[in-house]
Amino acid sequence: RRLVKMEGDCCDECGPTEVNTVIISHLVKVRKDKLTVMYNGKANHAQDVGSVQANRPFSKTSLVGYFEMTVLNAGTRGCMSIGLASSDFNNTRHPGWEPGSYGYHGDDGKKYCHPSRGEPYASKFGSDDVVGCGFNFVSREIFFTKNGKSLGVAFTNPDDSYFPTVGLHSEGEQVRLNFGDDPQRPFLFPLDLLLREERDKITSTVSNIPMSVMDMNRLVANFLRHEGYLDSLVSFQECAMLPGGGEEQWSSSESEEKRSAIRQLIIQGNMDKAEEAIRERFPSLLESKRRAKAFINGQKFIEMLLAERQEDAIMFAR
């Protein structure tokens, strides 16, 4: 039976997909694709920067967050920047000019992290260049790329500033962003290779942790208990010959039995009884956990469609 997959908390689980057009500088224009950004000011003053941010930060469930920017037109001075910033970033400033922001600037090739005046980092970038910015959540390092090649680590142990941010500051500048969600537009930088390297490092680290067979069996048993697989737990305990054997050692608590019963109702598609059981046994759960309530409602909708109750599903959705 197909269960609905919840997106969950966007800040934690869903990465960026487009430019945030709700909070945006008046000095830029964003095309309908919500990826192409053009400078719309005169750039007469230092505060005439027009910056945009992605609609969401990098997903913290990823090993590496990454995005790219293609420079369609470097404008009159090529004063563009790419980097990361917090959600309250001032959109009339370049990333790297404000606290909690980090940037690589095209007009001088320097890296910026407030309150520095910039440090030498790499070459300048301009028209037709593809520059990228990434954050390695494992090593906690910010890095930049240019035309598919890594420029090396720029910053380490940054603040929680994970929103992709781009700044423009001269007439005619135009860039197009790529967040990696369109298979027709793959990244120029080989992100897959970096991810593979990071996974290999994690696997190697975990493999080198000494762990006895008994410790591993206890981990599996705890997982089965937590997920409510109570029958499987008893069978596994007997096969693994964990000390203290028998059902007395691994007897299910009342809470575990309740969760297991609710889980079975959901698997069977009986969402009304599942909700009733949740409200009876965990009275405040659905009111305090909106994601849980959204899951129940979403699964109810799917069950109605599976039962060919389209009209009921439409009314329920409304």
Side-chain angles (χ1 to χ4, degrees):
R1 179 172 294 277
R2 180 170 176 264
L3 299 180
V4 62
K5 181 179 180 181
M6 295 299 299
E7 287 190 350
D9 185 351
C10 287
C11 289
D12 291 334
E13 299 179 14
C14 306
T17 57
E18 59 187 34
V19 171
N20 181 352
T21 55
V22 177
I23 302 175
I24 190 171
S25 168
H26 68 283
L27 295 171
V28 296
K29 285 185 177 180
V30 180
R31 288 189 174 176
K32 292 182 179 180
D33 61 5
K34 294 188 177 182
L35 296 173
T36 304
V37 185
M38 299 164 287
Y39 187 71
N40 191 41
K42 297 297 183 181
N44 294 326
H45 307 285
Q47 294 289 347
D48 287 348
V49 178
S51 291
V52 296
Q53 288 191 302
N55 58 335
R56 291 192 286 259
F58 288 145
S59 169
K60 293 183 180 180
T61 61
S62 302
L63 293 178
V64 179
Y66 181 76
F67 78 107
E68 288 183 342
M69 173 181 80
T70 299
V71 181
L72 302 177
N73 191 327
T76 57
R77 293 185 291 119
C79 295
M80 301 158 292
S81 59
I82 182 172
L84 301 176
S86 56
S87 59
D88 59 352
F89 179 72
N90 182 347
N91 61 19
T92 63
R93 302 282 283 171
H94 278 295
W97 282 6
E98 292 288 293
S101 68
Y102 308 84
Y104 166 38
H105 292 204
D107 59 330
D108 57 15
K110 292 182 178 181
K111 61 179 182 178
Y112 288 78
C113 174
H114 183 82
S116 75
R117 295 186 177 181
E119 299 177 14
Y121 177 62
S123 60
K124 302 177 182 180
F125 60 83
S127 295
D128 299 323
D129 283 328
V130 177
V131 290
C133 175
F135 179 62
N136 189 320
F137 282 88
V138 180
S139 61
R140 296 198 57 77
E141 296 172 336
I142 294 176
F143 64 94
F144 296 95
T145 68
K146 180 179 176 182
N147 298 327
K149 295 182 179 180
S150 175
L151 300 175
V153 175
F155 307 103
T156 57
N157 295 316
D159 299 328
D160 289 347
S161 305
Y162 307 137
F163 279 84
T165 306
V166 167
L168 305 179
H169 195 201
S170 74
E171 291 185 86
E173 289 177 353
Q174 182 173 340
V175 299
R176 183 176 62 238
L177 305 186
N178 181 4
F179 298 107
D181 56 335
D182 184 356
Q184 301 300 318
R185 292 183 58 216
F187 288 136
L188 194 58
F189 175 69
L191 182 63
D192 289 345
L193 294 180
L194 177 59
L195 291 174
R196 187 182 307 165
E197 290 176 3
E198 291 301 327
R199 293 190 186 101
D200 289 343
K201 289 179 184 178
I202 294 173
T203 300
S204 177
T205 300
V206 173
S207 299
N208 290 328
I209 297 175
M211 179 174 290
S212 67
V213 174
M214 185 60 66
D215 288 338
M216 182 65 72
N217 287 342
R218 288 188 180 279
L219 283 175
V220 173
N222 286 335
F223 168 78
L224 294 173
R225 174 190 285 156
H226 182 269
E227 295 297 321
Y229 299 107
L230 303 184
D231 292 338
S232 298
L233 173 61
V234 173
S235 298
F236 177 77
Q237 181 271 327
E238 293 174 353
C239 293
M241 294 185 292
L242 290 171
E247 295 190 13
E248 182 178 351
Q249 167 75 8
W250 298 103
S251 58
S252 305
S253 68
E254 182 180 358
S255 175
E256 290 165 354
E257 291 177 351
K258 288 178 180 179
R259 288 192 300 152
S260 180
I262 292 171
R263 181 178 179 277
Q264 289 301 317
L265 288 171
I266 293 174
I267 290 176
Q268 294 165 7
N270 198 334
M271 297 308 299
D272 289 333
K273 285 191 175 181
E275 182 176 3
E276 182 181 334
I278 291 172
R279 293 190 179 281
E280 177 185 346
R281 296 166 185 174
F282 306 99
S284 62
L285 177 65
L286 296 182
E287 280 65 36
S288 62
K289 302 292 185 181
R290 292 190 298 173
R291 288 180 59 187
K293 178 61 176 176
F295 170 82
I296 293 296
N297 287 340
Q299 196 60 39
K300 277 187 177 181
F301 179 76
I302 287 177
E303 296 298 341
M304 291 177 187
L305 293 179
L306 292 174
E308 298 184 355
R309 295 166 51 197
Q310 285 84 356
E311 291 186 4
D312 290 342
I314 292 173
M315 293 298 296
F316 180 75
R318 289 176 177 173

